[in-house]
Amino acid sequence: MDNDIGLWAIPIAILGGAIRVSTPFLFVSLGEVLTERSGRINLGLEGTLVFGAMSGYAVACLTGSAWAGVAVAALAGAVFGLVHGLICSLPKVNDIAIGIAMMLLGMGLAFYFGKPFIQPVAPDLPSIPFGGWSGLPQLEAALNVNVLFLIGAALSVFFWWMLRSTRIGLILRVVGDSTDAARAMGLRPAIIRTLATGAGGAMAGVGGAYLSLYYPGSWNEGISSGQGLMAVALVIFARWNPIACFFAALLFGGAGALGPALQSVGVSSGYYLFYAAPYVLTLGVMIAISSPSRAMTGAPGELSLTK
Amino acid sequence: MSTSSLSRRHFLMGTALAGSAAFLGLPRMARAEALDKLTVGFIYVGPKDDYGYNQAHAEGAAALKSIPGVTVVEEENVPETIDVQKTMESMINFDGATLLFPTSFGYFDPHILEMAAKYPDVRFEHAGGMWQADKHPTNVGSYFGYIGMGQYLNGVVAGHMTKTKKIGFVAAKPIPQVLLNVNSFLLGARSVDPTITCQVIFTGEWSLAVKEAEATNALCDAGCDVITCHVDSPKVVIETAAGRGAYVCGYHANQSSLAPDKYLTGAEWNWSKVYTDMITATMAGEPIPNFVRGGLAEGFIKMSPLGPAVTPEAKADFEAKQAEILKGGFAVIKGPLKDNKGNVIAAEGEAFVETDVKLESMDYLVEGVLGSTS
C-alpha cells in the first residue's frame, strides 16, 4: 500500500469528517427547525439524542436489525417530543425550563436502561461506497456514505419545500408567527406545536441512532459529547432554514475533523486549539453575518427566544 | 460549601466513631490485628463495563467478592471533581468502608489527599498516583503496573505485521503513563525494523467517542496499518480501525471479541491478582506498602492470547521477548536514544529499567514518533 498523499490528507479528512460527523447535527437541527417554526423551542434534544442512541442500539442488539433500531429510536424520540409538547401546552409553562428537565430525564433514563448494552455489539447501518472510481483508499473511506446521511440531505430539501409551498408548511408558519392569527384561522396552536415537537423529537432520536449504530457505532454513556445542544444552536445559525441547516451541519462536521487530520500530517502542536475550531468558526461566522438591522431575520414571531 | 453540610458530615462521623467505640468497647486498632470483616470501596470514572480501564478495575473488584468477610461497594461514572470527595465520604460514613480504591488518575490531587487528611483511619489506594513519602499522608498508597512493557510487546507484534512501516496510536492526554506507552509501542516495533515510525494523535480527553473514531480514521488515512490506543474505552478505536482493514492491538482489557480477525494481541491489566493480594494482606493484619509496582513477572499485567493473523515469526519473536521481560530488569528506554526533537534521552550504555521511577515523569516522545506532547 503506497498511498502517501501528503497534505491532500487534510481536505480529504475534512470531507470525510463532514459526511461522517454531520449526520446527527443534521437530524437534530432539522427536527428543531420544525419545532421552532411552530413557535416552540425544545432544548431537551440532547437527552432525546442520547436516549435515541441507547434505544436504537438496544433494539438493534436484540432484534439483529439496525433499521428496527432506527425505527424504535424515532418512536422513542417522538414520545419525548410529545411529552415536552404536552407539558408546554399547559398555561404559564416555560418551554426552556421543560427542555432542560427533559434533557436530564432523557440522559438519566438512557444511562439507566443502557447499562446492559454497553458490552454487546449491534449490527451497523449500511453505507454506500461512492469512492470506488478513485482507487485511493483514503478517498474511498471518506466517500463511504451512510444511508441516513442521504436521507437527511433529502429531508432538508423536502422540509424547505414543505415549509414554503405546502398547506402543512403554511399552518406551521402561521402558528409560529402569530398565535392570534392562527386562532383566527380556526387552527389550534397547542396541538400543532405539540405535533411539531413530537416530529422534532423523532428526528433527534434518529440522529442518536446514527451515533450508536454507525459512527462511532457503539453505545456508551459518553457517546454524545453535546451534539444535541450544538444542533439547537445550529438552527439559529442557519436562520431556521432547512437547507442552511444541511450546510451548517457539514461545516460543523468538517471542522471537527480538522484536529485529528492536522495531527496526522504532522501539524501536531497546539491540538487543543484545533479542537476548538468548530466553536471558533461558529463565533466567527456569527460575527461576520450579524447586523443590528436584521439580527433575527427568519425567526418565528412566537419563539420565546425572540419575544 | 455551606456550614450546615459540614456540621452534618461531622455529626455523622462523630456518631460513626461513637458507635464503633460503643460496640467494640475499645478504640479501633485495625492495623495491628487480623480482621474478620472488611468493607472495600471502588470508585470508577466511567461505566464499569467499558471494555477498558474501568472494566479492568471492576473485574479486579469482582474477584474480591469471593473472599469471606469482604464486602465490596462500588460507584461508577464519578467525575474527577468534588463529586469524588462526596462519594468517598458516603462510602466511609454510610457503608463503613475502611479501604478505598478511587481508581482514576485525576482523583489523587487534591481529592484523595484532602479526604486522607480528614479520615486518618481510612486507607486510600490510588492507581497510578505519584505517592511520595515526604509529601503525602501515610494512609495513602499508590499502585500501578508496568504496562508499558505490554505496549512494547504489542509493538513487537505490530513491527512484524506492518506492511507500510507505519503504525498508529490514539492517545488521550500527554501524561507520563501515556507517553511511556506510545514510546514503548514504537520501540517494540523498532526492535523488529528500525525504519518503522509511529503516528500519534491526542484526543485531549479520556473518553470522546466521535473524536476517537475521527483520530482512528485519520491514522488509517495517513497509512498506518497497525493501530493501538490509550483511552479509557478502546472499543470505538478497535472497531473503527478493524473496519478500515487495519490490524489492532488491545489495551486495558481483552478486546479480541470486537475484531476477531484483526486483533493481534493486547496489553491487559490483571488487577484481580493485585487486589486479592492487598485484601488478603489487610485481612491478615499486615500493612499494604505505600508504593506498589509490578509488571509481567509479578502478574500485574498480562498479554491477550495472540490472534489468528499473527505470523509464526512474529509469534516466536513475541515469545522470546516476553521471556526476556519475565526475567526482570528489562529496559525499553535505553541508549543511544533521542527524543523526536533531537534531545538526547539516554547516552550509549545508559538504560532506564522498567522499575525506574524516572520513567513516571516522562515528558517526551522518542525519535520515530510523529507527534508532539502539546
Side-chain angles (χ1 to χ4, degrees):
Chain A
M1 198 163 81
D2 184 29
N3 279 301
D4 196 2
I5 51 171
L7 289 178
W8 278 105
I10 299 180
I12 290 178
I14 293 176
L15 174 73
I19 294 171
R20 285 189 297 255
V21 183
S22 62
T23 309
F25 288 126
L26 180 59
F27 272 85
V28 178
S29 61
L30 284 179
E32 184 71 1
V33 164
L34 293 185
T35 308
E36 292 195 13
R37 276 297 186 96
S38 80
R40 279 257 170 78
I41 188 159
N42 183 0
L43 278 187
L45 291 183
E46 171 78 8
T48 313
L49 179 92
V50 173
F51 194 85
M54 188 285 293
S55 54
Y57 196 76
V59 169
C61 273
L62 295 175
T63 62
S65 158
W67 289 110
V70 174
V72 169
L75 202 67
V79 170
F80 270 88
L82 287 174
V83 170
H84 180 277
L86 288 173
I87 297 175
C88 292
S89 301
L90 302 170
K92 306 220 172 193
V93 171
N94 181 308
D95 54 357
I96 292 181
I98 296 298
I100 292 171
M102 291 298 292
M103 174 166 81
L104 297 175
L105 176 72
M107 292 169 73
L109 285 178
F111 291 178
Y112 178 73
F113 290 114
K115 237 350 66 201
F117 297 101
I118 296 178
Q119 290 262 344
V121 178
D124 275 357
L125 287 167
S127 60
I128 303 173
F130 281 113
W133 49 271
S134 66
L136 204 62
Q138 291 90 339
L139 203 58
E140 276 174 35
L143 290 178
N144 221 354
V145 179
N146 186 266
V147 181
L148 277 184
F149 175 80
L150 300 173
I151 296 177
L155 276 180
S156 66
V157 178
F158 173 74
F159 283 170
W160 173 79
W161 171 78
M162 184 187 85
L163 285 169
R164 220 177 73 115
S165 330
T166 67
R167 185 165 169 76
I168 298 176
L170 181 69
I171 292 174
L172 265 183
R173 283 188 290 138
V174 169
V175 170
D177 275 335
S178 165
T179 311
D180 293 340
R183 287 223 175 88
M185 284 170 68
L187 299 170
R188 298 174 68 183
I191 290 180
I192 291 164
R193 284 180 189 149
T194 303
L195 291 177
T197 317
M203 296 285 291
V206 174
Y210 176 90
L211 278 179
S212 62
L213 290 175
Y214 185 68
Y215 194 78
S218 75
W219 158 249
N220 69 56
E221 287 156 19
I223 189 85
S224 148
S225 63
Q227 276 102 331
L229 279 174
M230 276 164 77
V232 174
L234 207 133
V235 173
I236 302 172
F237 177 60
R239 307 234 166 218
W240 296 272
N241 176 348
I243 290 184
C245 278
F246 174 71
F247 289 107
L250 278 184
L251 192 70
F252 269 61
L258 188 65
L262 282 174
Q263 284 191 58
S264 78
V265 297
V267 184
S268 49
S269 36
Y271 48 83
Y272 280 105
L273 202 62
F274 296 124
Y275 284 152
Y279 315 102
V280 177
L281 192 76
T282 317
L283 267 180
V285 177
M286 288 298 235
I287 292 169
I289 63 170
S290 72
S291 127
S293 56
R294 46 173 202 93
M296 278 293 170
T297 319
E302 289 290 329
L303 214 55
S304 53
L305 272 181
T306 52
K307 270 208 275 199
Chain B
M1 197 182 290
S2 70
T3 43
S4 68
S5 79
L6 266 180
S7 61
R8 178 174 154 269
R9 205 175 280 152
H10 283 134
F11 170 76
L12 286 169
M13 188 170 67
T15 44
L17 282 175
S20 61
F23 277 115
L24 298 171
L26 70 167
R28 287 209 275 179
M29 303 264 284
R31 260 169 247 171
E33 48 195 66
L35 305 171
D36 51 5
K37 271 206 178 91
L38 177 68
T39 302
V40 190
F42 281 85
I43 306 172
Y44 315 111
V45 73
K48 62 182 183 184
D49 38 15
D50 61 355
Y51 268 107
Y53 187 81
N54 299 298
Q55 181 174 330
H57 283 291
E59 281 171 3
L64 300 178
K65 289 173 186 167
S66 60
I67 302 177
V70 174
T71 311
V72 176
V73 290
E74 296 172 284
E75 190 168 332
E76 51 187 344
N77 291 318
V78 180
E80 294 171 338
T81 61
I82 191 88
D83 282 346
V84 68
Q85 298 194 23
K86 288 181 190 154
T87 299
M88 285 190 262
E89 290 211 301
S90 95
M91 282 182 170
I92 294 165
N93 292 325
F94 293 106
D95 301 318
T98 49
L99 175 57
L100 290 183
F101 291 88
T103 54
S104 187
F105 186 79
Y107 291 158
F108 188 70
D109 192 4
H111 309 295
I112 288 179
L113 296 178
E114 276 179 27
M115 287 297 109
K118 191 163 166 188
Y119 297 98
D121 287 342
V122 175
R123 175 85 187 181
F124 298 81
E125 284 291 334
H126 182 247
M130 291 86 31
W131 187 85
Q132 285 162 297
D134 51 338
K135 267 168 62 184
H136 296 133
T138 50
N139 59 329
V140 175
S142 138
Y143 62 97
F144 210 58
Y146 303 122
I147 199 151
M149 291 293 155
Q151 282 290 11
Y152 179 83
L153 288 171
N154 275 351
V156 171
V157 178
H160 281 281
M161 301 303 293
T162 177
K163 293 195 179 67
T164 58
K165 303 297 171 200
K166 200 166 173 194
I167 56 181
F169 200 113
V170 179
K173 299 184 183 190
I175 62 167
Q177 286 90 337
V178 177
L179 298 176
L180 179 60
N181 280 335
V182 177
N183 292 335
S184 301
F185 186 56
L186 173 80
L187 292 171
R190 284 207 159 182
S191 75
V192 178
D193 180 346
T195 63
I196 293 175
T197 56
C198 176
Q199 176 84 52
V200 59
I201 294 185
F202 289 98
T203 63
E205 271 305 328
W206 292 114
S207 184
L208 269 184
V210 174
K211 196 140 283 171
E212 286 157 17
E214 275 303 298
T216 311
N217 271 311
L219 289 174
C220 292
D221 286 344
C224 302
D225 62 352
V226 186
I227 288 174
T228 189
C229 61
H230 185 164
V231 295
D232 266 359
S233 172
K235 191 180 179 192
V236 166
V237 173
I238 301 286
E239 287 185 334
T240 310
R244 287 286 305 262
Y247 287 119
V248 291
C249 292
Y251 189 64
H252 287 318
N254 189 339
Q255 289 103 18
S256 58
S257 60
L258 297 174
D261 302 331
K262 295 291 180 184
Y263 195 80
L264 300 178
T265 181
E268 298 175 36
W269 297 107
N270 190 17
W271 292 129
S272 44
K273 180 209 160 12
V274 180
Y275 290 154
T276 308
D277 289 353
M278 283 186 177
I279 301 307
T280 317
T282 309
M283 296 292 278
E286 293 157 18
I288 307 174
N290 289 79
F291 195 79
V292 178
R293 292 291 186 268
L296 267 179
E298 294 82 8
F300 277 46
I301 65 165
K302 61 186 177 191
M303 299 304 292
S304 314
L306 294 177
V310 177
T311 58
E313 306 86 74
K315 183 169 187 278
D317 196 16
F318 171 86
E319 280 167 357
K321 279 168 180 149
Q322 187 175 30
E324 191 76 17
I325 292 171
L326 283 171
K327 283 187 214 152
F330 191 82
V332 170
I333 305 291
K334 60 174 190 282
L337 188 67
K338 284 183 182 164
D339 71 10
N340 66 0
K341 294 188 188 106
N343 306 314
V344 175
I345 298 300
E348 181 77 54
E350 198 179 356
F352 299 94
V353 294
E354 64 172 2
T355 50
D356 198 325
V357 287
K358 272 192 199 139
L359 294 176
E360 298 194 26
S361 54
M362 183 172 277
D363 59 357
Y364 53 83
L365 291 164
V366 298
E367 190 176 14
V369 178
L370 313 174
S372 109
T373 55
S374 63

